[in-house]
Amino acid sequence: DSATKINFDDKLGNLSLFGVGVRKKGPIKVYSVGMYSGDDAKQSIASTPKSNTLSTLCNSIIASEKTTFVLKMNFKVGAEKMAAAIAESVNPRASNKAQVDTLKKLILDGVAAKGAATPGTTLQFDCSDEGVKVSVDSKEIGVAPGLKKAFCEVYLDDKCVSPALRNSCVENCCN
């Protein structure tokens, strides 16, 4: 990510890196985020005219079997604040608030175990039909069921939290 100089691997298992971006809060670059997904989504997006790319990107990622968002911290954020911030982004996009509470608790538990989300901390969100699996520094914390679409929309819809990620995905996936 050029904004933070944080690097992302081209592959995560059998998933390819679609794009990277930064999450800013005012002037602070809080974290860099990389999005990984399958070749099925990339092929679907590649054949789309640029004018329809953003909606196709979001729909293709949601339809994909698995998409992973990797957040690499650039700035120290307390466990409660990190969990609340992500939950607050997912909440308006989700219909089941109990599932959002589960996601918030998983993030809180994972980050609190190390004190805070300090620079270098990695949060991984594996989005599948099962839900969103949360890992912190490669340690699996648990799964919040049913939030795949809402979580993906946090990074890909028209009110996304990292326009840089969305733009990067469009640039890398469209012909």
Side-chain angles (χ1 to χ4, degrees):
D1 176 21
S2 59
T4 60
K5 308 292 184 248
I6 294 174
N7 293 319
F8 288 85
D9 293 332
D10 291 337
K11 291 286 225 183
L12 183 68
N14 62 346
L15 303 178
S16 299
L17 181 64
F18 275 46
V20 298
V22 65
R23 169 65 163 125
K24 290 181 179 176
K25 203 69 174 167
I28 299 167
K29 297 170 186 168
V30 182
Y31 61 79
S32 287
V33 55
M35 185 184 83
Y36 295 84
S37 198
D39 292 336
D40 56 330
K42 195 168 262 188
Q43 288 166 357
S44 158
I45 298 162
S47 59
T48 305
K50 280 238 193 253
S51 58
N52 300 337
T53 308
L54 293 178
S55 62
T56 302
L57 172 67
C58 193
N59 294 336
S60 297
I61 292 303
I62 291 166
S64 184
E65 191 174 312
K66 182 177 172 189
T67 296
T68 295
F69 294 90
V70 176
L71 282 56
K72 295 185 178 185
M73 298 304 296
N74 186 57
F75 188 84
K76 182 180 177 181
V77 179
E80 179 63 45
K81 192 166 191 167
M82 191 69 198
I86 293 174
E88 285 166 15
S89 295
V90 174
N91 195 44
R93 296 167 169 96
S95 54
N96 185 325
K97 303 311 175 199
Q99 293 171 339
V100 178
D101 289 341
T102 299
L103 177 67
K104 182 178 178 179
K105 183 174 179 351
L106 292 171
I107 297 166
L108 180 61
D109 291 350
V111 175
K114 59 177 289 159
T118 53
T121 299
T122 299
L123 288 83
Q124 182 169 318
F125 299 92
D126 297 321
C127 303
S128 68
D129 291 337
E130 179 189 1
V132 178
K133 181 169 73 176
V134 178
S135 302
V136 177
D137 289 339
S138 303
K139 181 178 182 282
E140 186 178 322
I141 308 303
V143 177
L147 292 175
K148 175 186 179 184
K149 181 177 187 288
F151 197 92
C152 290
E153 287 174 346
V154 167
Y155 291 97
L156 299 172
D157 71 12
D158 58 356
K159 296 181 187 83
C160 66
V161 300
S162 176
L165 169 68
R166 197 174 63 166
N167 294 340
S168 172
C169 291
V170 169
E171 287 304 310
N172 293 335
C173 297
C174 295
N175 295 333

